[in-house]
């Protein structure tokens, strides 16, 4: 049986080599994607192996991934989810758990976040009946600043959820200090910043909870997938319950009596001894991922360090190549940080003799992919205009980002040749649009 499996997997490796020949880069013809999955033969083998073993639900690979990822990101617990958005939903929802007693967030409580970003950093606030409080960002780092967050803290503020923008850390030491001083929960949306450092410490290790996405654009991929990590075992237990239908029991699938008291509980008004497997202590979801996803996560995780290194190298090459180009505001790492970059963000100076749309069109015509800084100013989208929210200060930079900012890729599959073509194209555009 296992000989037959080895034979199949050897065939998969051969197939991979045939299906993925080295591609010649043809400037203007070859697509230069802003992001994408970087998959090798080990990834393909892992996927097929999980399928061969028909591990179709969450199982051994999921648990293995969770403990390896928690170790790598220096958190005690990791819970795999079906997306980064689900991870954010679980992280915010966890703060509303009745088991937190007086510290639980209640409808109408406020959560500070930034206006310029990704919608599902903010949506769980509204989905839990809480009120987002939007602050502006700094233009060169695209991040929240501690003074803006401090100015937004009011009597109803109970938590902060902010993403490390495009891999660039927000000043998380300072914001974690504010959270501690004001007894606020802090969630770091680390979906775009796995491996980033601030004050020499990994992002995601400062807050109460942190989230990661494994969609193909991100540092690691499972196709779809995400993760909630925490150092707090009580919060981890709540996250697990909410992820797994709201159940109180923490047995793995297929396990029956981990707590050795399966028929000895009495909870709610249930009869004594009601099966703990079917006692529900939260109004939960099912946001689990599968072993097929986790199997891919494990082979991806083995490459994380090289992925981070390549992203840093590519960002640096673009930064040096574009330095001094007139009309462009270029990104800077947040002081005291070492970002694990997601993308290379460019803002067209509003005073420049050309517009973002012209530059983006020029690049796209040359097959150089561009993306917006996600939603730009979220408060301007139809989804949010009628939702309860508070805005603190002017959202000047969020508006500038909406109108003048875009980003290009730094992901590991981009070669020096491609990056140099990107730089040369931008320089050529600027030189001919003076
Ligand atoms: C900052 C941020 N948070 C959350 C998400 C959501 O992740 P997912 O697409 O896995 O739901 C993304 C997605 O790109 C993101 O960039």
């Amino acid at each position: 049986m296992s000989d037959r499996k080895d034979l199949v997997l050897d065939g998969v490796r051969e197939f991979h080599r045939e299906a993925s020949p080295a591609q010649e880069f043809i400037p203007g013809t070859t697509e230069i994607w802003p992001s994408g999955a970087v998959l090798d033969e080990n990834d393909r083998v892992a996927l097929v192996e999980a399928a061969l073993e028909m591990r179709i639900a969450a199982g051994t690979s999921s648990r293995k991934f969770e403990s390896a990822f928690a170790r790598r990101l220096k958190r005690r617990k990791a819970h795999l989810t079906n997306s980064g958005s689900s991870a954010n939903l679980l992280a915010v929802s966890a703060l509303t758990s009745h088991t937190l007693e007086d510290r639980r967030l209640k409808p109408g409580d406020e959560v500070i976040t930034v206006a310029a970003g990704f919608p599902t950093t903010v949506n769980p606030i509204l989905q839990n009946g809480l009120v987002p409080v939007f602050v502006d960002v700094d233009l060169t780092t695209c991040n929240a600043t501690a003074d803006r967050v401090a100015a937004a803290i009011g009597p109803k503020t109970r938590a902060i959820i902010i993403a490390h923008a495009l891999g660039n850390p927000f000043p998380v030491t300072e914001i974690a200090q504010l959270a501690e001083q004001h007894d606020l929960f802090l969630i770091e949306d680390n979906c775009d910043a796995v491996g980033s450092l601030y004050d020499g410490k990994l992002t995601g290790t400062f807050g109460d909870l942190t989230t990661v996405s494994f969609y193909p654009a991100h540092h690691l991929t499972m196709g779809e997938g995400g993760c909630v990590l925490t150092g707090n075992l009580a919060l981890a237990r709540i996250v697990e319950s909410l992820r797994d239908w709201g159940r109180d029991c923490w047995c793995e699938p297929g396990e029956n009596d981990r707590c050795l008291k399966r028929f000895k509980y009495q909870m709610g008004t249930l009869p004594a001894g009601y099966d703990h497997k079917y006692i529900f202590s939260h109004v939960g979801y099912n946001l689990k991922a599968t072993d097929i996803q986790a199997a891919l996560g494990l082979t991806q995780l083995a490459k994380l360090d090289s992925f981070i290194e390549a992203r840093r190298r590519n960002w640096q090459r673009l930064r040096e190549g574009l330095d001094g180009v007139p009309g462009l505001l270029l990104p800077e790492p947040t002081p005291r940080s070492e970002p694990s970059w997601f993308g290379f963000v460019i803002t067209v100076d509003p005073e420049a003799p050309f517009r973002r749309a012209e530059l983006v069109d020029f690049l796209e015509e040359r097959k150089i992919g561009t993306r917006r800084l996600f939603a730009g100013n979220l408060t301007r989208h139809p989804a949010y205009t009628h939702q309860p929210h508070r805005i603190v200060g002017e959202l000047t930079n969020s508006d500038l980002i909406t109108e003048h900012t875009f980003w290009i890729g730094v992901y590991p599959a981009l070669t020096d040749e491609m990056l140099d073509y990107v730089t040369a194209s931008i320089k050529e555009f600027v030189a001919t649009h003076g």
Side-chain angles (χ1 to χ4, degrees):
M1 191 66 177
S2 94
D3 282 355
R4 192 163 295 229
K5 189 171 107 181
D6 288 346
L7 220 65
V8 172
L9 296 181
D10 285 346
V12 171
R13 285 185 196 283
E14 252 170 64
F15 172 84
H16 182 87
R17 280 171 222 141
E18 276 171 25
S20 333
Q23 301 274 341
E24 188 198 350
F25 171 61
I26 306 168
T29 302
T30 308
E31 296 276 2
I32 302 178
W33 298 108
S35 62
V38 181
L39 299 166
D40 66 13
E41 76 179 51
N42 292 335
D43 296 316
R44 200 185 288 265
V45 165
L47 283 168
V48 174
E49 191 174 15
L52 280 179
E53 291 169 4
M54 295 211 271
R55 286 189 277 114
I56 55 177
T60 46
S61 291
S62 303
R63 300 297 88 82
K64 202 166 154 194
F65 180 86
E66 286 175 338
S67 51
F69 198 53
R71 249 192 331 274
R72 176 62 179 78
L73 289 201
K74 299 198 182 334
R75 297 272 75 181
R76 289 173 83 180
K77 287 281 178 187
H79 284 97
L80 205 47
T81 63
N82 60 1
S83 74
S85 302
S86 297
N88 281 343
L89 177 61
L90 286 170
V92 175
S93 304
L95 305 182
T96 69
S97 168
H98 61 92
T99 61
L100 297 175
E101 300 178 352
D102 288 352
R103 282 206 83 199
R104 74 183 284 200
L105 271 58
K106 292 187 249 359
D109 284 345
E110 291 183 345
V111 182
I112 297 171
T113 188
V114 297
F118 199 80
T120 54
T121 309
V122 173
N123 294 354
I125 304 173
L126 293 162
Q127 284 153 344
N128 278 288
L130 306 164
V131 178
V133 177
F134 292 105
V135 297
D136 204 11
V137 294
D138 175 76
L139 199 55
T140 46
T141 65
C142 296
N143 265 309
T145 56
D147 53 342
R148 287 180 174 98
V149 171
I153 298 173
K156 288 181 149 187
T157 309
R158 303 300 319 285
I160 301 167
I161 177 167
I162 305 179
H164 297 290
L166 295 177
N168 203 9
F170 61 81
V172 59
T173 303
E174 290 81 349
I175 289 177
Q177 267 162 13
L178 276 176
E180 195 174 335
Q181 280 158 16
H182 295 269
D183 194 24
L184 312 176
F185 287 106
L186 172 62
I187 300 172
E188 295 174 70
D189 178 335
N190 206 30
C191 285
D192 300 343
V194 169
S196 290
L197 302 173
Y198 188 82
D199 281 340
K201 264 180 69 179
L202 281 167
T203 54
T205 58
F206 293 78
D208 297 285
L209 291 148
T210 183
T211 59
V212 174
S213 166
F214 300 124
Y215 186 73
H218 296 260
H219 293 61
L220 300 177
T221 191
M222 296 186 187
E224 297 283 357
C227 200
V228 185
L229 298 106
T230 180
N232 178 323
L233 296 182
L235 289 175
R237 175 95 200 277
I238 301 167
V239 167
E240 185 167 310
S241 171
L242 285 167
R243 183 193 65 177
D244 301 356
W245 309 281
R247 67 183 188 158
D248 196 67
C249 159
W250 58 91
C251 279
E252 299 296 345
E255 219 180 23
N256 268 339
D257 195 11
R258 163 117 39 130
C259 62
L260 303 175
K261 308 198 285 192
R262 178 174 165 196
F263 297 109
K264 296 199 177 76
Y265 285 91
Q266 197 288 309
M267 295 178 80
T269 58
L270 290 166
Y274 198 80
D275 189 347
H276 193 216
K277 269 177 146 344
Y278 292 97
I279 296 182
F280 297 93
S281 46
H282 290 97
V283 179
Y285 303 91
N286 175 359
L287 302 174
K288 297 195 294 296
T290 69
D291 248 28
I292 297 193
Q293 288 162 288
L296 176 57
L298 280 165
T299 45
Q300 286 273 296
L301 186 55
K303 297 181 274 273
L304 179 59
D305 290 342
S306 65
F307 285 165
I308 293 170
E309 205 183 295
R311 285 173 174 274
R312 287 190 174 136
R313 206 173 44 241
N314 291 347
W315 187 92
Q316 199 56 37
R317 196 171 183 94
L318 287 174
R319 187 65 184 76
E320 281 163 18
L322 292 171
D323 202 42
V325 174
L328 303 181
L329 307 173
L330 297 182
E332 294 291 346
T334 305
R336 308 195 333 252
S337 79
E338 215 181 306
S340 167
W341 295 101
F342 185 79
F344 188 93
V345 72
I346 297 174
T347 297
V348 174
D349 188 334
E351 307 296 321
F354 50 86
R355 306 265 67 82
R356 174 182 66 184
E358 296 168 281
L359 174 53
V360 162
D361 283 352
F362 182 86
L363 296 176
E364 295 277 351
E365 261 169 41
R366 292 187 164 203
K367 307 284 182 209
I368 298 168
T370 65
R371 292 287 182 270
R372 295 294 148 89
L373 207 164
F374 309 129
N377 181 347
L378 280 157
T379 68
R380 293 172 64 174
H381 287 253
Y384 304 95
T385 43
H386 299 293
Q387 295 288 344
H389 65 271
R390 192 158 69 83
I391 294 174
V392 176
E394 301 293 322
L395 299 181
T396 316
N397 291 337
S398 303
D399 283 334
L400 268 166
I401 285 171
T402 314
E403 277 153 45
H404 302 287
T405 299
F406 67 100
W407 61 270
I408 51 179
V410 297
Y411 82 113
L414 301 182
T415 60
D416 286 353
E417 220 183 347
M418 290 173 174
L419 295 166
D420 292 347
Y421 176 64
V422 172
T423 317
S425 297
I426 293 175
K427 285 180 163 164
E428 183 186 321
F429 172 87
V430 171
T432 52
H433 289 74

